[in-house]
Amino acid sequence: MLHLHLDPVGGMAGDMFVAALLDLRPDLEEGLKAALALCPLIETVECSLLPHDDGILTGRRFLVRKLGGDAPPPRPHRHGHDHDHDHDHGDPHDPGDHGHHDHDHDHVDWRRIRLALSQSRLDDATKTHAIGIFTRLAEAEARVHGRAIDDVVFHEVGAWDSIADVVSAAWLVAQLAAEHWTVGAIPLGGGRVRTAHGLLPVPAPAAALLLEGFAMIDDGIEGERVTPTGAAILSYLCREPKPRAGARVLRSSAHGFGTRRLPGISNCLRVLAFEAPAASDLLADHVAVLECEIDDQTGEDLAEAVTHIRSLPGVLDVVQAQVFGKKGRVMTQLRILALPARRDAVLAATFDETTTLGIRHCIMDRAILRREATAIEHEGRVFHAKTAERPSGQTTKIEADDLASTRGAGARARLRARLDVALRTEGEKP
């Protein structure tokens, strides 16, 4: 199970995302080039992956250029918050994206892009991801400009280099097939960005809509830190619930750089690749644990309360223990195990059934042995048993309720021994 975590150290843009994933998996570069050759609207585009060292970290840069043309020369860095000043080259919304734009492609409507992608020779997974990312962006642009989604016209993000970024991102997402995508706190940035709509505040309005619900930080560095393209990728990939915290193995890390130089920090997107620990014979799940102490409820009433709690749907077990509390008082400690989905219902019922004023609760990891219910007939009676697969071997135990009718501890012990022999004999039959 692969979990990819994005750490937007410098920010998030389309080409930074692609560069980070290719730094993680450079073996995918040739396959990506072949995929881009199948993509409409960018038939004359080629990409290259270059090593990059900013003096702090090393990683990759992802560059796109028109066939037959030179790579766009870097512009001298200038101060200021206009988009053209913030970034050396690229999608005017992207702090790391590439290329001088071919103005014939600067204004492309969403319907044209969607139709071209759906009818292309790209694989189905790449089409799904690319259209999904563009759809998030089109929905945000429609809200910003107060129009129907099918009437959206992309300006900067309709340019050939930005289409290449989205399709490249989609193809890599399909190839990696990660189970989970998460992102750390996103830098806010500040100032203004120059767009086809004029000067806009940072984050750009479409990016701000796409980033709603994400954790953001202000690290004091101005400029556009997350572009609409980058925000659309995050919105598309990272909206599912985060995986539960637990043991996981960090397999690798990688960095994708943008062009802009930031003061005192690398302008990169870091990706961390996690995998679940190696599989074992143990099953794993989660359980809700609820705990409280009670010192002002009679024993009779508390016994009834525990009986009611134990009978609730989703309750797995209730344990009672005597403990000493404040002023030396003897209290009863309750620990309730329940299915996570039933936690809130069990909480409410426990408050109703007991006199406690507070309940501690959490969701915990749990390891479970593989087990199987079996039965055996012995001397005219049916006895039920539970077989468990332990790391050291299989064990079987007769259910205590089936032995309860046998009077005397010695008699029960002898019966259990005979049943154990019968169970072993039964298990040895072909």
Side-chain angles (χ1 to χ4, degrees), residues 160-174:
W160 51 266
D161 51 347
S162 299
I163 295 173
D165 285 344
V166 171
V167 173
S168 296
W171 187 84
L172 289 168
V173 167

Side-chain angles (χ1 to χ4, degrees), residues 378-396:
H378 181 71
E379 296 180 352
R381 294 171 57 188
V382 175
F383 294 88
H384 298 86
K386 190 176 294 180
T387 299
E389 298 291 340
R390 300 183 183 277
S392 58
Q394 187 181 89
T395 61
T396 303

Side-chain angles (χ1 to χ4, degrees), residues 293-297 321-333 355 357:
E293 287 76 40
I294 299 167
D295 66 356
D296 58 351
Q297 191 168 1
Q322 279 196 334
V323 296
F324 290 95
K326 60 185 178 181
K327 301 180 182 179
R329 294 176 181 171
V330 176
M331 302 188 299
T332 299
Q333 183 181 70
T355 59
L357 299 177

Side-chain angles (χ1 to χ4, degrees), residues 132-148:
I133 294 168
F134 268 120
T135 298
R136 296 293 178 104
L137 192 54
E139 290 170 345
E141 291 285 354
R143 287 179 59 189
V144 168
H145 300 295
R147 63 182 63 177

Side-chain angles (χ1 to χ4, degrees), residues 178-236:
E179 187 80 12
H180 297 288
W181 290 86
T182 56
V183 63
I186 299 167
L188 181 64
R192 299 289 183 268
V193 60
R194 191 183 302 280
T195 74
H197 300 288
L199 286 177
L200 294 176
V202 170
L209 289 176
L210 290 163
L211 294 175
E212 288 180 354
F214 287 93
M216 304 196 72
I217 56 170
D218 185 356
D219 59 8
I221 300 175
E222 295 278 290
E224 188 176 40
R225 307 292 296 281
V226 179
T227 70
T229 303
I233 293 171
L234 292 178
S235 177
Y236 178 74

